[in-house]
Amino acid sequence: MKPYTELSRLGRLRRLRQLAHVALDAYGLTGAHLNFLHYEGNVIYRVDAPAPGPTTGKSGPYMENRYVLRILTTGDREAVASELTWLAALSREAGLPVPEPVPTLAGELLTTITTPGVPQGRIVSLMRWLDGRRLTKGFRPNHLRAWGQMMARLHESAAGWLPPEGFNRPQWDWHGQLGGRDFRWPIEELVASMPRQFREPFAVVSQQAREVMQALGQGPEAYGMIHADMYPENVLFKAGEVYPIDFEDCGYGYWMWDIGIALCYWPWTQDWYWMRDAFLEGYAQVRTLPESQLVHLDLFMAAQYATMVIWASALIKHDPAMQAEHEKWRNRDGNKLLRYFELRV
């Protein structure tokens, strides 16, 4: 049998589909139908069960007998288990409509599946399928208000939640985002690899963000568990409700950074201003953030663009075969970063 690492993309997907079928047995879903959805690092399938599956009780925001199965690229069981532990708490304790983890027949939130075709094994998790749809256009104030309310509910729950022993999620502070704590290369080398027009803006925003984060501190009034990736593609809408999905990047960060990510898709366009106001109006209906934090929204948006520029620069070095794709990402967010400075002319 050809080694997994020597397979083409299609060859790997064939092997991983076989692994997914084995994983279904661990959840009591033998014979369920797998529908391929996505492969970018993780492999994602929709699972349709022909009969009632392992979940019980009211369906609520979930579709009966439908699930999301993830085959993860990471081997960090502790980090994945922590993500699923938080999702379980948000769903079952806080009552939030998030992807609810489904335990295996052995009662575990994740499992490791090994097959002859994937002998090194992969971590697998299963979650309930939320019944909503993405919006790519046509946003109205009611969508943004509901989105703001949902983020506020998530932050309110996170601010009072005590993680269990062994809980391990990333720290999305300055060092983790802009300071290069997890990079293999010195931050100076990565900045030098950027196009010239992005270097000084990156340095300025990075320094400004560092000063603001130091001033805010890491107490629960400003900092806690956040989604950290709540772009529009990670939000579902239905009947006035908002369902956040894809918590893979969740970790400890600033409430304002989470808000900035949600609003940074339309940086300072004509529509952005009413969208910002509607989002913050909805957020304030659930919890209050002081003006001393809200005043930094533009900076946290710029910090997100700067983070994308430095991470894309690191990925170009890490994976030269994907250079063209990563350069496109870097340049897109780099140009958004430049808009931050155009506002201040």
Side-chain angles (χ1 to χ4, degrees):
M1 181 179 289
K2 194 172 185 179
Y4 179 83
T5 54
E6 296 179 12
L7 294 173
S8 66
R9 175 185 173 90
L10 182 58
R12 292 184 181 189
L13 280 172
R14 288 182 179 136
R15 297 266 184 97
L16 291 170
R17 188 176 187 88
Q18 294 170 351
L19 186 147
H21 277 290
V22 174
L24 290 177
D25 296 342
Y27 292 96
L29 289 169
T30 303
H33 185 67
L34 287 170
N35 294 276
F36 171 76
L37 296 179
H38 185 71
Y39 177 29
E40 188 177 337
N42 298 336
V43 181
I44 311 296
Y45 293 96
R46 190 185 79 204
V47 178
D48 291 305
T55 52
T56 58
K58 295 182 179 179
S59 59
Y62 306 102
M63 290 191 70
E64 290 288 350
N65 305 328
R66 180 168 287 182
Y67 308 90
V68 177
L69 185 138
R70 295 187 306 174
I71 302 176
L72 291 112
T73 187
T74 180
D76 190 341
R77 286 182 62 90
E78 186 177 71
V80 177
S82 296
E83 174 205 356
L84 298 172
T85 295
W86 191 43
L87 280 170
L90 289 174
S91 174
R92 299 165 194 170
E93 298 172 18
L96 296 183
V98 300
E100 181 182 359
V102 178
T104 66
L105 295 177
E108 302 292 332
L109 291 180
L110 71 159
T111 183
T112 298
I113 302 296
T114 301
T115 63
V118 191
Q120 70 274 33
R122 287 292 190 94
I123 296 173
V124 176
S125 71
L126 187 76
M127 291 170 282
R128 300 184 72 182
W129 184 279
L130 283 158
D131 184 14
R133 66 184 182 93
R134 291 182 174 92
L135 287 182
T136 57
K137 58 183 179 179
F139 283 95
R140 298 179 179 178
N142 60 299
H143 295 121
L144 275 294
R145 278 193 291 270
W147 192 351
Q149 290 170 354
M150 173 51 60
M151 182 170 281
R153 290 173 64 194
L154 190 151
H155 290 174
E156 188 71 10
S157 172
W161 184 64
L162 295 176
E165 185 177 353
F167 188 84
N168 180 25
R169 291 303 300 171
Q171 292 281 347
W172 297 128
D173 53 11
W174 181 86
H175 295 283
Q177 295 277 58
L178 295 162
R181 178 176 55 209
D182 299 320
F183 294 148
R184 292 166 50 189
W185 301 272
I187 195 74
E188 295 80 10
E189 182 178 339
L190 295 176
V191 172
S193 73
M194 297 175 187
R196 186 176 299 275
Q197 69 268 28
F198 300 148
R199 296 174 194 170
E200 184 178 356
F202 173 85
V204 170
V205 165
S206 179
Q207 181 59 32
Q208 289 178 351
R210 187 174 196 176
E211 293 171 358
V212 166
M213 291 178 190
Q214 287 176 341
L216 291 176
Q218 295 187 356
E221 67 282 351
Y223 192 88
M225 278 294 293
I226 61 173
H227 183 286
D229 198 27
M230 208 182 290
Y231 289 107
E233 60 263 32
N234 289 330
V235 177
L236 305 179
F237 295 86
K238 184 175 182 180
E241 298 295 325
V242 172
Y243 308 148
I245 61 174
D246 194 354
F247 280 69
E248 186 180 2
D249 289 340
C250 69
Y252 293 96
Y254 291 91
W255 311 132
M256 287 304 304
W257 198 309
D258 221 16
I259 293 172
I261 291 171
L263 293 172
C264 75
Y265 197 76
W266 314 269
W268 307 294
T269 59
Q270 183 175 356
D271 285 341
W272 180 83
Y273 292 94
W274 70 255
M275 297 175 90
R276 173 201 63 189
D277 292 346
F279 186 100
L280 293 179
E281 178 186 341
Y283 191 100
Q285 290 170 355
V286 177
R287 76 191 302 260
T288 301
L289 285 177
E291 185 63 25
S292 59
Q293 293 185 42
L294 292 170
V295 72
H296 297 301
L297 175 58
D298 288 351
L299 174 60
F300 274 102
M301 287 175 57
Q304 176 64 10
Y305 302 137
T307 296
M308 295 299 97
V309 170
I310 197 68
W311 280 71
S313 300
L315 286 172
I316 290 169
K317 286 186 172 291
H318 175 72
D319 189 4
M322 298 289 291
Q323 179 172 343
E325 182 175 332
H326 295 321
E327 284 182 346
K328 183 178 179 180
W329 169 31
R330 180 198 63 195
N331 295 341
R332 181 195 65 209
D333 281 81
N335 288 326
K336 291 179 179 179
L337 174 61
L338 297 181
R339 291 190 198 176
Y340 173 71
F341 293 91
E342 292 172 4
L343 293 174
R344 282 145 182 78
V345 174

